Amino acid sequence: MRQAGRSLKAYQELKKKHTFKTLLKTPSLAREITELPLRHLGVDAAILFSDILVVLEALGIHVDYDAPLKQKPFIQNPLKLNEKLNLKKIDSTKLEHNYETIQQYKRNNSLPLIGFCASPWTTFLYLYEKEQNQFFSALASFYNHSKVSDEILNVLTDISLEYAEKQIASGVDAFQIFDTWANAIPFPDYQKRIEPLVIKMAARLSKKVPVIFFPRFFSNAYEFLNEKTLNNISALSVDYLASLKYLREKLPPALVLQGNFSPQLLRTLDPANLEVYLKTYLRQNKTKRRWIFNLGHGVLPATPEENIRLLVKTVKNFS
């Protein structure tokens, strides 16, 4: 469960002492946070404590991780329309703190570790100033200045691949590509200009570790993903709006599905109702072949720690 640690009291105590940037960039602290769900929740694997925006730093884009939520932009030097990336500013050494975090984790733990990064598309959207919390500038660049946008997307693919491969070399056991904003454009446009970049990443990374792909809120588009995408990933992570039954019938039988319990319900239901709902959900899906229980997105802020522990216990007892 991505972001499971942020609802833990132990994490909140660390946040009282350190900024998010300090937690993110100090390998000993990031390793400690990575381990928290293992110690406090009993999950089966850890997810690297990091952020999908760290790749921007390697491109010379400054991210204010500790800006108030309502303060915009938290990207301090966003690109302007039709502006190219300054390739001279690219410095991949700015990501090395994550590799040290991975190495520390592997020295201290036997349970698997999942690494991740954002897809080139999701990273691209954050390069531009957001208006009213929408990606209008990025979309204007994508459609009105397609040549420059495609050049930028190719650079993002290459730096993301380098970042992913160094995570793998540092010891992660699987790798997840998060396309958090896959639904920001119509699927035909995604299929034409973005999915080939995902295929490039998955094809290379899948030769080294299992690859999980998560295009969030893809509606019915999951079933129309390119065959090359499906053949180069081990698992497709699906959100809580999708039907596991429907997708299991439509997608290749060898493909693992991961998901898709609602994080809203995990946050909202009281423990008694959560347990009842969970057991019903598990019974409904127990016949699904090659399915990994997970949330349909990350754990929401303020989700009760008690609820998360109950979820893990219920799922393990059921299985």
Side-chain angles (χ1 to χ4, degrees):
M1 292 181 292
R2 181 170 171 257
Q3 298 171 321
R6 69 181 178 187
S7 291
L8 299 177
K9 293 176 183 177
Y11 175 67
Q12 297 305 322
E13 289 300 316
L14 284 170
K15 279 193 70 178
K16 291 177 183 177
K17 301 175 183 177
H18 308 283
T19 64
F20 184 84
K21 183 177 180 180
T22 299
L23 295 174
L24 187 68
K25 297 199 171 189
T26 308
S28 59
L29 291 171
R31 187 260 305 163
E32 182 179 351
I33 296 169
T34 299
E35 294 171 346
L36 288 180
L38 304 180
R39 296 175 182 172
H40 294 271
L41 301 176
V43 294
D44 295 327
I47 302 174
L48 175 67
F49 175 72
S50 186
D51 192 276
I52 61 171
L53 298 183
V54 294
V55 168
L56 295 179
E57 296 188 53
L59 303 171
I61 303 295
H62 301 293
V63 183
D64 185 357
Y65 294 104
D66 295 293
L69 289 176
K70 294 183 179 180
Q71 180 181 316
K72 303 296 178 186
F74 55 90
I75 305 299
Q76 296 176 339
N77 55 331
L79 294 185
K80 297 178 176 61
L81 285 178
N82 209 27
E83 180 183 357
K84 295 185 178 182
L85 280 172
N86 186 341
L87 301 183
K88 293 181 180 179
K89 288 186 176 182
I90 293 180
D91 180 7
S92 58
T93 63
K94 292 182 178 179
L95 303 174
E96 289 184 352
H97 57 90
N98 274 333
Y99 312 139
E100 175 60 27
T101 299
I102 293 166
Q103 290 162 16
Q104 286 190 21
Y105 174 90
K106 296 299 290 186
R107 287 195 293 267
N108 289 278
N109 299 277
S110 59
L111 286 175
L113 177 63
I114 302 170
F116 70 90
C117 72
S119 77
W121 170 240
T122 287
T123 306
F124 174 87
L125 290 175
Y126 283 101
L127 283 172
Y128 300 85
E129 186 171 353
K130 285 199 286 184
E131 304 166 42
Q132 301 173 1
N133 208 30
Q134 299 293 320
F135 298 108
F136 295 130
S137 295
L139 293 172
S141 179
F142 181 74
Y143 284 106
N144 298 327
H145 307 285
S146 57
K147 182 178 179 181
V148 169
S149 296
D150 286 340
E151 289 174 0
I152 292 172
L153 283 161
N154 283 319
V155 171
L156 293 175
T157 303
D158 290 341
I159 194 73
S160 298
L161 265 171
E162 179 185 343
Y163 177 47
E165 289 180 325
K166 286 186 176 179
Q167 286 189 50
I168 294 168
S170 298
V172 299
D173 301 282
F175 196 84
Q176 183 153 4
I177 302 170
F178 281 97
D179 215 344
T180 306
W181 297 107
N183 69 333
I185 52 176
F187 182 70
D189 300 333
Y190 185 95
Q191 197 172 38
K192 179 180 179 181
R193 294 176 61 187
I194 305 302
E195 195 175 2
L197 307 178
V198 174
I199 292 170
K200 180 180 178 179
M201 290 186 67
R204 227 159 89 180
L205 299 178
S206 62
K207 294 176 181 178
K208 302 176 180 180
V209 294
V211 173
I212 307 162
F213 179 43
F214 181 29
R216 188 177 71 132
F217 294 157
F218 233 19
S219 188
N220 292 327
Y222 289 106
E223 64 177 294
F224 298 111
L225 285 167
N226 192 297
E227 191 175 298
K228 292 181 180 178
T229 300
L230 301 177
N231 288 341
N232 282 293
I233 60 175
S234 295
L236 180 67
S237 192
V238 299
D239 60 64
Y240 52 90
L241 300 180
S243 165
L244 285 175
K245 181 178 184 298
Y246 181 83
L247 291 178
R248 186 69 287 167
E249 293 171 353
K250 294 292 182 180
L251 293 171
L255 180 67
V256 173
L257 293 180
Q258 179 174 286
N260 65 335
F261 192 78
S262 167
Q264 280 87 345
L265 293 180
L266 179 61
R267 183 189 186 282
T268 305
L269 296 182
D270 62 53
N273 282 317
L274 175 61
E275 185 174 8
V276 171
Y277 193 100
L278 260 171
K279 288 179 177 179
T280 301
Y281 173 86
L282 291 168
R283 282 194 295 270
Q284 289 172 343
N285 291 289
K286 68 179 181 179
T287 59
K288 302 293 183 295
R289 294 165 292 130
R290 304 183 70 79
W291 170 54
I292 299 173
F293 176 91
N294 208 319
L295 295 184
H297 193 37
V299 175
L300 295 174
T303 299
E305 185 172 335
E306 177 186 8
N307 281 16
I308 308 175
R309 285 200 300 269
L310 175 62
L311 179 143
V312 174
K313 181 181 178 181
T314 303
V315 172
K316 285 193 168 186
N317 287 344
F318 186 89
S319 60

